[in-house]
Amino acid sequence: MKFKSLIFILAIVLPYLLFAQENSNAEKQDPLKDLPYKKKLKFADNAFEYGNYFQAMELYKSFLEERPGNNQLFYKIAYCYMEARDYKNAESHFKKAISAGNTNAETYYYKALMLNMQGKYDAAKNTYADAVKKNTAPWSDRAKQKIEFCEFAKKLIKDSVNYKVTHLERPVNGPFTEYAPRVYDAEFYYSSLNMDSILNQQFYRGNKKHYSRIYTKIPAPKGENWKAVKPLSPPFNGPDFHSGNFSLSADGKRAYFTKCQDEGNANITCKIFQTTKIGGSWSEAVALGNEVNASKSNNTHPAVAESEGDFDILYFSSDRNDGEGGYDIYYAEVGENGKVNSVNNLGPVINTSGNEKTPLYYAEHGLLYFSSDMHPGLGGFDNFSAEGSLQEWTEPVNLGYPINSSADDQFYAPGEDRRSYYFVSNRPGIIGLKSETCCDDIFMAKDLFVPDFAVKGKIKEQVDSTTTSPLKGVDIAIYSVENGKRALFAIDSNKNLTSYFHNLKAGKDFEMEFKKQGYFTFTESIQTKGVFESDTFEVDATLEKIRKDKSYTLSNIYYAYNSAELNEASKETLDQLYTILSENESLIFELSSHTDSIGSAGYNQRLSQKRAQACVDYLLEKGVSKDQLIAKGYGESQPIAPNTKPDGSDNPEGRAMNRRTEYKVIGEFEFEGDQVLFKEGQ
């Protein structure tokens, strides 16, 4: 199913434009009227192949009067209705095609899909089963998967999320297509092919065409309602191209959007452009490089995630050939003037053999919102979220019903407050020109129950066993944890403060890390999952300074008798030391091994040196600098407990305490640029 939709590449409008042109020329004589049937059919088939589905549909319907019962005509009419997203009429005509003898797996699959898109899941399952019985690739395999999706959809509806969904009325939504809602600094932007002119029969005036535009809202004086909308000025809109998918960088200095050219014959080519704000004006839009705007492909749905240095991290969708399937989501590092540093596919956790589109990265919570027609959903495209960034993602989560429906649902985006979200759908309730599901409108989803969670606390240093003092210069990182995987949720690098406050999200597990050079990292876990009343957690972080010449014992470092080989438990403990070393790269550590008094002093000295060196070698393999670590074996020379009891008998507890591995800071690097000038302590 192609679905040449405007929200994919701004193309679903073309059949409607043709329809509008036909309406405006309705009184003209039919040029095909006197042609033989076969030539008229060829003309209709050409229109069908070029994607002019309304034109083809009307011709096929007229041909049925000459050839009633033709199952291929029923099939083609049904296909035209399907591409126009008129699910009811498509279902009806696929049914007629089957009754007339077109009983292949493909026809059963499409009929089932049209039932599926109307939310008739049980009827869809039965018809998918008819496609499975035909045992014809790829339709039978697809049908098996869709049967599972129907069961999944029924469960999602039963476990619906607590959101109220409302349709945005005028002046935003009109009778054709509205899409790509975005909110930046409380300003609402969206894209639209405003078709009031069609209803007024003003669409075509000679060669004049109507193009998609990017709009923003104008609030009423008191702010209660939207008074009007207005198109953005150039370079965002122009007289000879479709524009849409507005995206703004966090600092407001760069904007990205899609510019699409009508190539004719229902073909539209889309590229992503960048413009820079200079003073109070936007520069001329520049097309991004071929790395983003790959040739022979459509590249669209730009969404700025965040900035790293001089580059924006830009997510976008493309149907280039090197992806997982149809449309895939990619990210690019983009500099000023459209310079592209690199482009990467998000990988198979996000992208499937189907289509993934409309990305939006919510950096504050480390969430990617996107739409897919292949991850398990309710019908066509559903909205999903995944935690992570770049190419590291958790398994996508369906946002559930009623945010998703049996129709196409996409462009999920945070609204003006933490309870409001926007999305785009062609579900019943839209302002439809030709059918109740023909076109895309913008909806708002309001979370009816969101408990408010936050965490706050003071940051302190442990001065001695009983005294603490405020500590500045601490980096705070909060991670959300799902199925053992961590994703960055929030960071705080305001190092002048000795206290903090952060909002949290409901239904999550969090890990907090407080870090400062020269201190042990302080960690804490918080859970909002399963908590249904608002709460502010208090976590005071007390960091201990790593003190020079103070020895710290590493527990769970074990060796076999007379061996320096590390076991797995020992390696896990050394992994924790590796974290301390990597967070304090300016400090020089001594890693020491100690034994009890069994055996000769010389033997114990040699064995302890081998064991200390084994620990150091393991850490060097993990990437620690050889200048940061020194292996030292002390043998039995530094006991911390008696090896024997006062009566001279063996003291197993004392010997166990003496068999230990320790580390301590013995110096600190001094640098001039990248050059090490002096290493204190060696």
Side-chain angles (χ1 to χ4, degrees), residues 115-174:
L115 290 164
N116 195 157
M117 298 293 285
Q118 296 175 74
K120 300 176 181 178
Y121 296 114
D122 289 332
K125 283 172 54 183
N126 292 335
T127 310
Y128 282 133
D130 291 332
V132 172
K133 292 175 185 176
K134 296 294 180 179
N135 197 26
T136 303
W139 308 105
S140 296
D141 291 336
R142 292 181 185 178
K144 288 179 184 178
Q145 184 183 54
K146 286 291 188 179
I147 290 172
E148 295 178 4
F149 285 7
C150 284
E151 285 300 316
F152 178 77
K154 290 167 67 176
K155 185 178 185 301
L156 278 184
I157 293 173
K158 182 179 178 181
D159 300 331
S160 61
V161 293
N162 201 15
Y163 281 77
K164 178 182 179 182
V165 170
T166 56
H167 175 263
L168 300 189
E169 301 300 333
R170 292 180 183 273
V172 174
N173 285 322

Side-chain angles (χ1 to χ4, degrees), residues 417-419 447 449-455 501-507 510 528 531-537:
D417 59 69
R418 64 187 298 266
R419 286 180 167 81
D447 195 335
F449 175 71
V450 179
D452 292 311
F453 294 109
V455 58
F501 179 92
H502 278 285
N503 289 312
L504 299 176
K505 193 173 182 181
F510 295 99
T528 62
V531 182
F532 301 106
E533 293 185 5
S534 299
D535 196 4
T536 298
F537 302 94

Side-chain angles (χ1 to χ4, degrees), residues 394-445:
T394 60
E395 196 68 26
V397 175
N398 189 298
L399 295 185
Y401 177 85
I403 292 170
N404 292 318
S405 69
S406 61
D408 286 324
D409 302 283
Q410 302 182 87
F411 283 108
Y412 194 75
E416 290 84 352
D417 59 69
R418 64 187 298 266
R419 286 180 167 81
S420 299
Y421 298 86
Y422 294 102
F423 66 92
V424 171
S425 180
N426 69 318
R427 65 184 64 188
I430 54 98
I431 303 172
L433 186 67
K434 287 292 288 182
S435 73
E436 66 177 2
T437 54
C438 68
C439 313
D440 295 297
D441 278 359
I442 299 172
F443 291 76
M444 174 184 280

Side-chain angles (χ1 to χ4, degrees), residues 321-478:
N321 293 328
D322 62 358
E324 301 287 337
Y327 275 82
D328 275 14
I329 300 175
Y330 296 77
Y331 77 89
E333 294 181 1
V334 183
E336 293 185 3
N337 301 319
K339 180 182 177 182
V340 180
N341 188 28
S342 65
V343 171
N344 296 277
N345 188 292
L346 265 59
V349 174
I350 299 297
N351 293 316
T352 69
S353 59
N355 297 286
E356 281 68 46
K357 304 176 181 181
T358 68
L360 184 146
Y361 189 73
Y362 192 16
E364 182 180 347
H365 289 168
L367 279 174
L368 175 73
Y369 294 116
F370 69 100
S371 57
S372 172
D373 64 356
M374 186 57 66
H375 287 292
L378 281 86
F381 279 82
D382 276 19
N383 290 301
F384 294 83
S385 69
E387 295 185 67
S389 65
L390 305 181
Q391 292 177 294
E392 296 292 330
W393 302 100
T394 60
E395 196 68 26
V397 175
N398 189 298
L399 295 185
Y401 177 85
I403 292 170
N404 292 318
S405 69
S406 61
D408 286 324
D409 302 283
Q410 302 182 87
F411 283 108
Y412 194 75
E416 290 84 352
D417 59 69
R418 64 187 298 266
R419 286 180 167 81
S420 299
Y421 298 86
Y422 294 102
F423 66 92
V424 171
S425 180
N426 69 318
R427 65 184 64 188
I430 54 98
I431 303 172
L433 186 67
K434 287 292 288 182
S435 73
E436 66 177 2
T437 54
C438 68
C439 313
D440 295 297
D441 278 359
I442 299 172
F443 291 76
M444 174 184 280
K446 196 83 168 180
D447 195 335
L448 299 179
F449 175 71
V450 179
D452 292 311
F453 294 109
V455 58
K456 67 177 183 178
K458 298 177 181 179
I459 308 171
K460 298 176 285 186
E461 176 181 2
Q462 190 73 50
V463 178
D464 55 40
S465 60
T466 60
T467 309
T468 61
S469 64
L471 182 64
K472 294 183 178 181
V474 176
D475 290 319
I476 305 171
I478 304 176

Side-chain angles (χ1 to χ4, degrees), residues 516-677:
K516 183 177 181 177
Q517 181 79 14
Y519 289 78
F520 291 107
T521 298
F522 180 90
T523 61
E524 187 65 74
S525 297
I526 299 173
Q527 293 80 36
T528 62
K529 189 178 291 183
V531 182
F532 301 106
E533 293 185 5
S534 299
D535 196 4
T536 298
F537 302 94
E538 291 195 31
V539 175
D540 291 337
T542 304
L543 280 68
E544 180 184 355
K545 190 175 182 65
I546 303 174
R547 305 191 184 280
K548 184 179 177 182
D549 295 327
K550 179 180 177 180
S551 294
Y552 301 92
T553 300
L554 287 167
S555 59
N556 300 323
I557 300 289
Y558 301 112
Y559 306 92
Y561 176 72
N562 195 28
S563 171
E565 185 176 349
L566 294 167
N567 61 19
E568 291 305 314
S570 301
K571 292 178 181 179
E572 290 178 7
T573 299
L574 289 172
D575 288 342
Q576 299 173 24
L577 178 58
Y578 168 76
T579 301
I580 296 172
L581 293 167
S582 61
E583 291 173 354
N584 297 276
E585 293 181 341
S586 67
L587 300 182
I588 304 166
F589 289 78
E590 176 189 276
L591 198 153
S592 60
S593 179
H594 303 262
T595 70
D596 58 23
S597 61
I598 295 179
S600 69
Y603 172 81
N604 287 335
Q605 171 63 37
R606 291 190 296 274
L607 179 61
S608 64
Q609 184 65 40
K610 289 180 181 179
R611 288 177 170 176
Q613 190 62 52
C615 293
V616 168
D617 289 344
Y618 175 78
L619 293 166
L620 294 179
E621 289 177 4
K622 288 181 68 67
V624 175
S625 169
K626 61 182 177 59
D627 294 323
Q628 196 183 4
L629 269 177
I630 297 170
K632 183 71 172 179
Y634 287 95
E636 61 186 71
S637 65
Q638 294 185 1
I640 58 173
N643 287 297
T644 59
K645 295 179 181 179
D647 61 4
S649 61
D650 185 38
N651 183 12
E653 293 81 6
R655 286 194 293 103
M657 293 175 65
N658 291 329
R659 295 192 301 270
R660 67 195 188 278
T661 301
E662 297 177 336
Y663 66 93
K664 64 181 177 181
V665 174
I666 60 172
E668 187 171 0
F669 292 108
E670 289 186 1
F671 297 93
E672 185 174 292
D674 294 331
Q675 184 179 4
V676 179
L677 298 179

Side-chain angles (χ1 to χ4, degrees), residues 490-508:
I491 56 174
D492 187 346
S493 56
N494 191 340
K495 298 183 179 182
N496 292 321
L497 298 179
T498 59
S499 62
Y500 69 94
F501 179 92
H502 278 285
N503 289 312
L504 299 176
K505 193 173 182 181
K508 295 291 182 181

Side-chain angles (χ1 to χ4, degrees), residues 97-116:
I98 292 170
S99 297
N102 192 333
T103 57
N104 57 41
E106 180 178 354
T107 308
Y108 278 116
Y109 176 84
Y110 282 142
K111 179 192 172 187
L113 183 60
M114 294 301 94
L115 290 164
N116 195 157

Side-chain angles (χ1 to χ4, degrees), residues 3-16 85 176-179 191-194 211-213 242-245 258 260 268 270 300-301 410-411 438 440:
F3 281 159
K4 294 184 179 179
S5 172
L6 178 59
I7 56 178
F8 304 161
I9 58 168
L10 287 171
I12 199 173
V13 296
L14 293 182
Y16 296 109
R85 298 196 293 182
F176 264 68
T177 291
E178 285 74 37
Y179 62 104
S191 305
S192 174
L193 185 68
N194 189 330
Y211 290 94
S212 173
R213 297 284 180 257
H242 293 287
S243 58
N245 303 304
T258 306
C260 302
I268 285 186
C270 295
T300 183
H301 305 149
Q410 302 182 87
F411 283 108
C438 68
D440 295 297

